[in-house]
Amino acid sequence: MARIQYYSTNLKSEKVSFREALIRGQAPDRGLYMPDQIPVLTPDQIESFAGKSYPEIAEIILKLYVNDDISQDDLSRLVRDAYNFEIPLENVYDRIHVMRLDRGPTASFKDFAARMMGRLMQYFLKLENRRMLILTATSGDTGSAIANAFYGLDNIEVVILFPEKEVTDRQRKQMTTLNQNITVLAIDGKFDDCQALVKRAFADEDLSFLPLSSANSINIGRLIPQSIYYFWAWSQLANNIDDKIIFSVPSGNFGNLMGGIIARHMGLPVERFVVSTNENDEVPVYFAKGSYQPLIPSRNCISSAMNVGHPSNMARIVALYGGIMDEKGNISKQPDIDRLKKDLWPVSITDSQTRETIKNAYEKYRLLLEPHGAVAWAGLHRFFEAHPELYTPFQLCVTLETAHPAKFPQEIEHILGIQPDLPESMSHLDEKIEHMIPMSNRYEDFKNYLLKRK
Ligand SMILES: *Cc1c(COP(=O)(O)O)cnc(C)c1O
């Protein structure tokens, strides 16, 4: 197979190596980097994952994408260091499972991507003796995962923007109690405002003297690691290559889903992805109507990390299915909609359905879900209501739980009347001092702040 290179979804920038795509984050033409080919594994290779550990699977998959930019030994060391926690698969009934991606240091699935990307970046920066300033917008969980993944590294500084009123106390404390090389800006606005500020700074010539990079879900170094746990779930539960799986993915910016789609294109036997969104239903509407319209502003839901009115990874999904979408959501070439519909089934779940799901899952199965995972659980069941012929007790299904229920104590207490146990990683937050800088959502204010950082 030829060496994989990374092209921009806007098709106006040159192809680059993995290392270059990782360091740049966004392509110069404002597109997102994508591998120019997806490596396909043989059924034997995929079946052999059943006997392997998570870091072993991660090493095999990542090696295909980094080519010789990293040696096998170095990569082996990095994945073992990044993935040192459990990934439980909880059987609920028949062959339906919940995969808990919440056992990392910030109790969010974003640890999977952030920890790997942090280690990859530090590896390359050290080789070149370079510095980097990471700008990242978060609707809650990205920020703390990025902050924790980069905290204490000498050659990397991180500036995180979050919508002041849209994150929980605990999510905020996970970012603001670190300090050192981590600066947190509390923006008077929405997540989309934060994302727009970051995007504009990247495109601003006046700031080109800064060694800016992004750590958002748009970075290719975050995307590829998010395909690994799909292989993991299947390898732990499936009988053989004919045992096709249905995943339900709680989706906001669609990076998690994009990881799954990549796994499927690599040969993983996936029957369907249920794309579970909250009331931000621009993608379900696109599938139903054929025309795509970003939601401005995005809608506030209790699954707050999914309050996204235009998922940036849509451009990648469209690209992988033969179309072209720019960063604003304009489609200049439609993707193959029939093939998209064969692979993906999008559905929108309201807040009241989310709360009802948390209640029912707990009462019926003693299954403890938080709002994001509950959207996915509800999405799977909506899928089977729409396709009753596809349900048998032998159908393998996994819904993804992306945060720890203890991150949403008020909501859980209100619905179930219980307090979820705190994971060790979150148990001392209240004793620590918070550091953050309040800021408006005007670009001039953000720019002035960055200019003063020289
Ligand atoms: C970020 C996040 C999501 C959404 O993931 P995307 O990759 O943006 O679709 C879902 N749940 C939680 C808890 C998150 O933090």
Side-chain angles (χ1 to χ4, degrees):
M1 196 183 72
R3 204 183 148 88
I4 295 180
Q5 288 189 298
Y6 294 82
Y7 73 94
S8 162
T9 51
N10 281 353
L11 303 174
K12 295 193 181 72
S13 300
E14 291 176 6
K15 287 187 182 180
V16 295
S17 66
F18 179 82
R19 169 176 177 161
E20 201 54 41
L22 175 84
I23 297 291
R24 285 192 190 169
Q26 196 170 23
D29 66 4
R30 299 213 209 172
L32 309 187
Y33 283 117
M34 274 287 280
D36 63 359
Q37 52 190 313
I38 307 275
V40 178
L41 299 166
T42 65
D44 281 352
Q45 273 177 310
I46 294 173
E47 285 182 346
S48 78
F49 287 172
K52 295 192 177 358
S53 69
Y54 194 87
E56 284 169 337
I57 297 173
E59 186 184 325
I60 293 168
I61 291 171
L62 290 172
K63 185 65 183 152
L64 298 169
Y65 289 92
V66 304
N67 296 305
D68 330 317
D69 287 3
I70 305 179
S71 74
Q72 194 81 44
D73 281 354
D74 286 337
L75 188 60
S76 175
R77 199 168 39 75
L78 297 180
V79 294
R80 273 163 187 73
D81 189 44
Y83 300 124
N84 55 3
F85 49 87
E86 284 181 20
I87 305 151
L89 284 149
E90 201 172 309
N91 180 234
V92 186
Y93 67 91
D94 294 343
R95 292 185 79 205
I96 301 189
H97 303 75
V98 170
M99 175 157 59
R100 296 205 181 264
L101 300 171
D102 61 355
R103 303 297 154 98
T106 68
S108 152
F109 95 99
K110 295 206 169 65
D111 288 328
F112 283 84
R115 285 171 70 75
M116 199 62 234
M117 182 179 64
R119 281 154 182 78
L120 290 167
M121 281 184 168
Q122 205 201 6
Y123 177 83
F124 291 128
L125 289 171
K126 261 190 190 160
L127 287 183
E128 298 175 22
N129 200 17
R130 274 167 63 180
R131 295 179 56 76
M132 184 179 275
L133 176 61
I134 290 178
L135 300 183
T136 189
T138 182
S139 54
D141 284 337
T142 315
S144 53
I146 295 297
N148 278 272
F150 288 95
Y151 177 58
L153 303 184
D154 288 337
N155 43 351
I156 302 183
E157 284 187 77
V158 179
V159 175
I160 299 172
L161 291 75
F162 77 95
E164 196 181 8
K165 299 185 189 75
E166 288 183 12
V167 308
T168 67
D169 284 357
R170 281 190 187 150
Q171 282 177 325
R172 190 189 66 245
K173 284 178 188 173
Q174 283 184 310
M175 302 183 263
T176 56
T177 54
L178 293 166
N179 215 15
Q180 279 197 42
N181 60 327
I182 312 293
T183 307
V184 181
L185 307 181
I187 302 294
D188 183 7
K190 292 180 154 285
F191 169 65
D192 294 345
D193 296 329
C194 300
Q195 215 175 19
L197 290 174
V198 168
K199 279 192 180 158
R200 223 172 131 182
F202 279 120
D204 192 335
E205 295 284 331
D206 298 346
L207 297 173
S208 58
F209 68 93
L210 289 167
L212 296 183
S213 187
S214 92
N216 262 333
S217 54
I218 61 173
N219 194 299
I220 192 76
R222 279 192 50 190
L223 187 62
I224 305 294
Q226 288 178 169
S227 63
I228 300 163
Y229 43 76
Y230 291 93
F231 283 98
W232 166 256
W234 183 88
S235 72
Q236 295 297 296
L237 301 171
N239 300 318
N240 55 51
I241 202 74
D242 299 320
D243 199 1
K244 287 190 167 185
I245 187 167
I246 296 175
F247 286 106
S248 180
V249 187
S251 294
N253 234 338
F254 285 45
N256 195 358
L257 176 72
M258 192 62 217
I261 293 175
I262 287 177
R264 188 181 193 283
H265 281 74
M266 292 177 75
L268 188 69
V270 178
E271 175 70 38
R272 195 78 71 105
F273 291 101
V274 178
V275 184
S276 300
T277 69
N278 60 22
E279 293 170 28
N280 290 279
D281 61 355
E282 63 281 358
V283 173
V285 169
Y286 170 54
F287 273 60
K289 299 208 171 136
S291 74
Y292 179 75
Q293 196 68 52
L295 277 178
I296 307 168
S298 55
R299 298 175 181 148
N300 259 340
C301 294
I302 56 171
S303 46
S304 56
M306 289 157 40
N307 293 342
V308 183
H310 168 43
S312 29
N313 280 289
M314 265 313 278
R316 285 193 170 117
I317 294 178
V318 168
L320 203 54
Y321 287 82
I324 305 173
M325 175 190 269
D326 73 10
E327 69 279 1
K328 295 197 183 74
N330 303 310
I331 297 179
S332 53
K333 182 178 172 216
Q334 282 289 349
D336 182 342
I337 283 276
D338 292 339
R339 201 155 59 85
L340 264 175
K341 286 187 177 168
K342 240 179 96 224
D343 291 356
L344 312 179
W345 194 81
V347 58
S348 163
I349 305 294
T350 65
D351 270 1
S352 68
Q353 291 166 337
T354 306
R355 292 194 171 101
E356 210 174 299
T357 301
I358 292 176
K359 187 160 180 282
N360 290 341
Y362 192 71
E363 285 176 356
K364 207 161 166 193
Y365 307 111
R366 283 287 173 266
L367 172 66
L368 186 57
L369 297 171
E370 54 68 59
H372 306 81
V375 167
W377 183 256
L380 182 74
H381 292 86
R382 283 276 288 280
F383 175 71
F384 286 125
E385 280 162 34
H387 299 280
E389 76 285 359
L390 291 183
Y391 191 74
T392 78
F394 309 106
Q395 174 61 54
L396 181 58
C397 303
V398 169
T399 84
L400 276 52
E401 179 46 293
T402 45
H404 195 284
K407 294 182 110 168
F408 305 87
Q410 285 98 347
E411 200 63 56
I412 302 285
E413 160 100 66
H414 183 69
I415 300 169
L416 300 179
I418 59 165
Q419 279 285 346
D421 293 336
L422 274 185
E424 173 61 27
S425 59
M426 290 169 58
S427 54
H428 302 292
L429 285 178
D430 290 337
E431 298 148 30
K432 295 184 183 159
I433 302 171
E434 292 193 66
H435 303 268
M436 65 185 131
I437 303 173
M439 195 172 281
S440 79
N441 62 357
R442 283 191 307 270
Y443 180 66
E444 288 65 36
D445 292 343
F446 180 50
K447 181 171 177 172
N448 279 335
Y449 167 77
L450 288 174
L451 286 170
K452 273 187 285 181
R453 280 190 69 98
K454 280 198 228 197

